[in-house]
Amino acid sequence: MKKIFSLFAAVLFAGSMVAQTTYTFTDVKTPAEAVADGLTFTFQKNSGSTNPQWLANAGEARLYAKGSLTITSSDANITKVVFEYVVNKNKNGKAPTIDGVKGATNAGTWDAETMTWEDATGDTEITLSTSGEAGNLGFKSITVTFEAGVAPAVAKPTFTPETAEFENEVSVSLACETEGAEIFYTLDGTAPTAESAKYEAAFKLTKTTTVKAIAIKGEDKSAVATKVYTKALPTVLPDTITCELAAELALAGRTDNVIVKGYVVAIQDAWNSQHKNVSFWMADTKDGSNTFEAYRVACETAEEAPAVGDLVWAKGTLTKYNSTPETAQGGTFGILEKDLLPAVNLGAKTIEEFLALKNKKDTCILTGVVENIKMDSKDNTQYNAYGNFDLRDETGKVYIYGLLTADGESKKFIEMNINEGDELTVLAIYAEYNGTPQVNDAIFVSVDRVPTAIDNTAVETKTFKTFENGQLVIIKNGIKYNATGAVIR
């Protein structure tokens, strides 16, 4: 999360009485100075979106699609927020979708270009989120009303140790002064609730982590307590580093030239004949999860490309793409030890079976209906040349991130003339992106197209699929093809 600006609302008292305080933020050219502890505004972008930014000449702070604005009160209960904003569409007339405000008792209503959020006594944090492909919201003013001087009924959790930096690992304990309160916490930066992990014993952290905790007793709860435990990364690196260390360094913004050693656990982008490169995920153990990506490292031939299970090294400059730690494009790699068990084809599977296997090494044959084909992001007038879409059968669906021809060529999707509703058969290997299953660079096998008016005037042909001697055989117009599309003679 990148903190764009912080400002604080004044806390006003009338004798010993509780006061309702309103603060209106309008100065978007230079952030207002702190006048008292109170409110913090945090703009955040999501993966693939544009960073929020100040636009002084327009007099607004812009929040782009796939972003969020979180308002946190350290001591007081926020009771009302009014957003005055403008919708800035892109050149194609697209604007972000306003998903609403999380954390509200009353979700609020949008009226023209003002949104009022209120009636949330007890809440100390709200988040307005946006989604969509383009455009932005330009905030002209944000007015916040809150109850000043209202002490939480439950004390904030405290952290042990207080020191926020560690070398190898740190054991973290949580406590609350309120007797009988239960503590719940998160390790991913999200606000904890009674549905989060319940604290029972100290837990260990091995990498930089944002810990948030809340104490709850009956209907009462504390304000959220936050502490960031930061792992001290080495300044001088050994000749070869682990995947875990490489990921930590890259995510911390380091740009060292390194050699990373690990096992290939997933192929992100198959060997590309045009650019002669390959992308793959690495981990420190053979059965590890995607830890560090070797991005578009040089590879002259398909035979030299690594396979899942191989022990490899990857050399390049550390970088990060959104939340992905990787080597910058143009690095090199080498295979230290080939996996003794070669990849095999597991045959035809339903999508449900394919997802359950989670096999990142062996291929499966999937057949389903094409849905939700992604359009070209430049003008949205034609399909994306790579071929990104959902494939659905009667058991479920999976996202296809790139469709290759039977010969392994990429960016040929438009020429392949595949449309929504067509029944498509592909050769697939299980992969994940940010924990979500998908197929990277599926290989085309066959397609049964949705009939058109022109098709109906011609002699209808049908593609049949069968197995002979354990091998998938596609029969079309009397000609037999194998799973890669080659003619069987």
Side-chain angles (χ1 to χ4, degrees):
M1 176 183 293
K2 183 177 181 181
K3 185 170 290 186
I4 306 301
F5 69 100
S6 295
L7 55 92
F8 302 91
V11 180
L12 303 179
F13 293 91
S16 59
M17 296 177 60
V18 171
Q20 287 279 338
T21 300
T22 298
Y23 183 87
T24 300
F25 170 75
T26 55
D27 183 3
V28 296
K29 294 182 179 180
T30 57
E33 295 182 358
V35 292
D37 288 345
L39 300 180
T40 300
F41 292 69
T42 304
F43 280 91
Q44 182 182 10
K45 75 161 188 171
N46 291 339
S47 175
S49 184
T50 305
N51 276 311
Q53 60 178 277
W54 294 101
L55 204 64
N57 59 347
E60 62 190 39
R62 290 189 171 180
L63 177 63
Y64 288 80
K66 301 180 183 177
S68 61
L69 165 60
T70 298
I71 303 176
T72 305
S73 171
S74 61
D75 300 309
N77 299 324
I78 301 171
T79 57
K80 183 177 181 180
V81 181
V82 177
F83 300 95
E84 181 190 3
Y85 67 99
V86 294
V87 176
N88 297 305
K89 299 179 180 179
N90 73 348
K91 62 181 181 180
N92 295 318
K94 289 189 172 292
T97 299
I98 301 168
D99 298 326
V101 178
K102 297 179 180 179
T105 303
N106 175 357
T109 56
W110 294 96
D111 180 15
E113 294 188 343
T114 300
M115 191 280 182
T116 300
W117 174 94
E118 58 187 338
D119 190 22
T121 302
D123 285 335
T124 57
E125 180 176 287
I126 66 168
T127 298
L128 178 148
S129 59
T130 58
S131 61
E133 298 180 358
N136 63 77
L137 299 181
F139 290 98
K140 296 292 186 180
S141 70
I142 303 172
T143 301
V144 183
T145 302
F146 58 97
E147 290 181 347
V150 179
V154 181
K156 270 188 180 183
T158 57
F159 298 88
T160 303
E162 282 294 324
T163 303
E165 188 171 88
F166 61 97
E167 291 186 1
N168 297 313
E169 67 176 32
V170 62
S171 180
V172 178
S173 297
L174 304 174
C176 179
E177 294 180 357
T178 302
E179 186 176 353
E182 295 181 316
I183 303 174
F184 301 87
Y185 68 97
T186 60
L187 303 179
D188 59 1
T190 60
T193 67
E195 304 300 319
S196 303
K198 182 179 178 180
Y199 175 75
E200 295 179 348
F203 51 88
K204 293 182 178 180
L205 301 176
T206 59
K207 59 183 179 180
T208 298
T209 306
T210 298
V211 184
K212 289 194 173 186
I214 190 170
I216 300 176
K217 182 178 181 181
E219 297 296 321
D220 296 325
K221 63 181 180 180
S222 70
V224 175
T226 302
K227 184 171 288 293
V228 179
Y229 287 92
T230 305
K231 183 173 183 178
L233 298 174
T235 54
V236 179
L237 303 178
D239 294 337
T240 302
I241 63 176
T242 64
C243 298
E244 182 179 0
L245 178 57
E248 290 175 337
L249 291 167
L251 293 175
R254 293 276 288 270
T255 57
D256 305 67
N257 292 314
V258 298
I259 298 176
V260 186
K261 178 181 176 181
Y263 291 93
V264 178
V265 292
I267 303 299
Q268 179 65 24
D269 296 309
W271 181 75
N272 185 295
S273 59
Q274 179 183 359
H275 301 291
K276 296 186 184 302
N277 58 34
V278 64
S279 301
F280 53 87
W281 282 94
M282 304 167 61
D284 293 319
T285 59
K286 211 169 194 177
D287 59 350
S289 58
N290 295 358
T291 304
F292 184 81
E293 183 181 8
Y295 178 69
R296 293 187 179 179
V297 289
C299 184
E300 282 297 315
T301 66
E303 290 72 25
E304 294 175 300
V308 172
D310 290 351
L311 179 64
V312 301
W313 58 264
K315 182 178 181 180
T317 302
L318 291 174
T319 187
K320 62 178 178 179
Y321 177 72
N322 292 328
S323 59
T324 298
E326 60 189 21
T327 52
Q329 180 175 343
T332 58
F333 82 99
I335 299 176
L336 299 172
E337 182 181 307
K338 290 291 293 182
D339 186 18
L340 297 178
L341 295 176
V344 297
N345 183 273
L346 302 179
K349 301 291 181 185
T350 67
I351 292 176
E352 182 180 48
E353 291 170 337
F354 174 76
L355 296 177
L357 284 172
K358 294 187 176 182
N359 188 321
K360 297 182 179 180
K361 177 178 179 179
D362 302 317
T363 57
C364 294
I365 299 166
L366 303 180
T367 299
V369 176
V370 176
E371 297 179 343
N372 304 319
I373 300 176
K374 301 301 181 185
M375 303 298 288
D376 191 312
S377 59
K378 295 180 180 179
D379 55 21
N380 286 310
T381 60
Q382 64 179 8
Y383 291 150
N384 185 295
Y386 287 96
N388 303 327
F389 53 88
D390 291 327
L391 189 69
R392 180 188 294 276
D393 66 9
E394 64 278 4
T395 68
K397 72 175 181 178
V398 66
Y399 184 59
I400 306 295
Y401 185 66
L403 179 66
L404 307 182
T405 66
D407 295 326
E409 293 183 274
S410 66
K411 299 183 70 174
K412 298 292 184 181
F413 184 73
I414 297 173
E415 291 91 327
M416 295 166 77
N417 193 29
I418 294 171
N419 294 286
E420 293 189 9
D422 290 349
E423 184 182 71
L424 179 67
T425 298
V426 299
L427 205 62
I429 299 178
Y430 179 91
E432 291 182 355
Y433 180 72
N434 288 340
T436 301
Q438 66 180 35
V439 175
N440 298 328
D441 292 332
I443 298 176
F444 173 86
V445 174
S446 67
V447 63
D448 286 341
R449 305 186 191 282
V450 176
T452 65
I454 296 176
D455 294 331
N456 291 336
T457 64
V459 177
E460 183 178 359
T461 61
K462 182 72 175 177
T463 300
F464 299 93
K465 293 178 280 291
T466 184
F467 281 87
E468 295 181 4
N469 300 322
Q471 179 185 20
L472 174 70
V473 176
I474 300 101
I475 303 173
K476 188 169 185 178
N477 295 331
I479 302 174
K480 293 183 177 182
Y481 300 84
N482 65 17
T484 63
V487 176
I488 300 175
R489 302 184 185 279

